[in-house]
Amino acid sequence: MADDPLFGVHGNALALRSQRMAMLASNIANAATPNYKAKDFDFQKALAAASADNTSGDTGASLDSAVDGATGYRVPLQASLDGNTVELSTEQTLFAENAVQYRATLSFLQGRIGTVMTALKGE
Amino acid sequence: MANNFSVFDISGRAMSAQLVRLSTSASNLANAGSVATNKADAFRALKPVFKTIGGEQGTATVGVTQVVASQTEPTQRHDPNNPLADKDGNVWEAGVDSAAELVEMMETSRQYQNNVQVLQTAKSLTLDTLRLEK
């Protein structure tokens, strides 16, 4: 997908944004679970790995391994007594940021599709 | 365990778990101040036990594994006029810390709201993705 001349990196980017949304949603869901350790992944690192590993042809598998390679535990600013490392302010900020970036990726895709549609219609 | 949770699964199940927590708080508050003749019969606050349910790719949701009675001891009170009083004129009042339950209730509702917010964002992004070709 990354080699696609029309969509560029945006296909991988959209899939990774969606995965990150699920990961951040998991952290928010477990805000009250004792001993839960918040996780996140480095988007830039995952996108670079996914874009480099596109020779196998199996986009799903390369995306999964890219996410796994870039995933880590969040270091809490202040440790809580029950061993939970979710800090809602951090998670909610990152969730909002990720949602905006997802929407940005969508509008890039929309632009590309619009261009092709205009060319096809020949109006 | 090869579960692949979507954002809808994650937040939906978390909302159910928070609802169980809200119900236990409600029943604890409802029983606050109730009395019994002996210590064993007195009401003790109920607490849900949350556990992470792990999925693939770093996703996880939450579930309630059990609801346990809390360690808060019922308090003995001298009230000889109470029809439930024992032969020494004492009754046992439910082991419920009302202030703590109210705080718990507020925290529960905030976390429920957070999950609703996540769900709304995920829904609108999914719908926008579906409309991509238009």
Side-chain angles (χ1 to χ4, degrees):
Chain A
M1 201 189 264
D3 261 350
D4 194 317
L6 181 59
F7 295 126
V9 295
H10 300 304
N12 277 338
L14 197 68
L16 288 173
R17 291 275 174 229
S18 152
Q19 292 233 10
R20 184 148 186 249
M21 182 163 68
M23 217 179 258
L24 295 174
S26 305
N27 293 343
I28 293 171
N30 280 284
T33 319
N35 287 318
Y36 176 82
K37 307 292 181 212
K39 279 183 187 172
D40 195 4
F41 69 82
D42 182 340
F43 179 80
Q44 209 170 352
K45 198 175 159 190
L47 186 62
S51 306
D53 182 26
N54 55 16
T55 42
S56 64
D58 186 353
T59 314
S62 78
L63 275 176
D64 283 359
S65 66
V67 170
D68 282 340
T71 300
Y73 290 105
R74 175 107 59 233
V75 179
L77 292 172
Q78 191 163 18
S80 68
L81 284 174
D82 63 358
N84 184 304
T85 65
V86 178
E87 279 163 342
L88 273 174
S89 49
T90 312
E91 302 304 332
Q92 282 179 305
T93 311
L94 289 173
F95 187 86
E97 192 183 353
N98 189 61
V100 170
Q101 288 163 337
Y102 185 100
R103 193 148 273 159
T105 303
L106 268 188
S107 71
F108 280 124
L109 287 168
Q110 193 96 58
R112 299 282 168 99
I113 292 168
T115 308
V116 175
M117 284 303 193
T118 311
L120 285 174
K121 283 175 187 159
E123 283 160 4
Chain B
M1 201 157 72
N3 293 322
N4 204 356
F5 294 130
S6 74
V7 181
F8 300 97
D9 294 329
I10 294 166
S11 300
R13 289 182 196 201
M15 280 157 69
S16 316
Q18 296 295 344
L19 265 187
V20 172
R21 194 173 163 202
L22 190 63
S23 309
T24 55
S25 274
S27 67
N28 293 343
L29 283 170
N31 282 284
S34 69
V35 292
T37 308
N38 56 58
K39 195 177 175 182
D41 288 346
F43 181 84
R44 278 161 196 255
L46 297 171
K47 299 282 170 197
V49 178
F50 278 20
K51 193 176 181 299
T52 303
I53 303 169
E56 283 176 336
Q57 292 285 301
T59 59
T61 183
V62 62
V64 176
T65 48
Q66 54 178 336
V67 177
V68 296
S70 82
Q71 301 292 315
T72 317
E73 292 289 320
T75 47
Q76 194 180 26
R77 198 180 49 173
H78 189 64
D79 186 5
N81 295 324
N82 196 306
L84 289 172
D86 60 15
K87 61 183 184 334
D88 300 324
N90 292 320
V91 288
W92 290 90
E93 200 169 320
V96 175
D97 182 344
S98 299
E101 293 300 335
L102 286 170
V103 172
E104 179 99 359
M105 195 178 75
M106 280 162 64
E107 196 187 331
T108 307
S109 80
R110 267 320 296 262
Q111 287 181 358
Y112 189 92
Q113 278 177 18
N114 286 336
N115 283 301
V116 171
Q117 203 71 51
V118 166
L119 215 54
Q120 275 175 354
T121 307
K123 191 185 87 174
S124 98
L125 287 177
T126 308
L127 289 176
D128 283 354
T129 312
L130 283 172
R131 278 195 288 268
L132 200 55
E133 79 278 10
K134 278 164 199 157

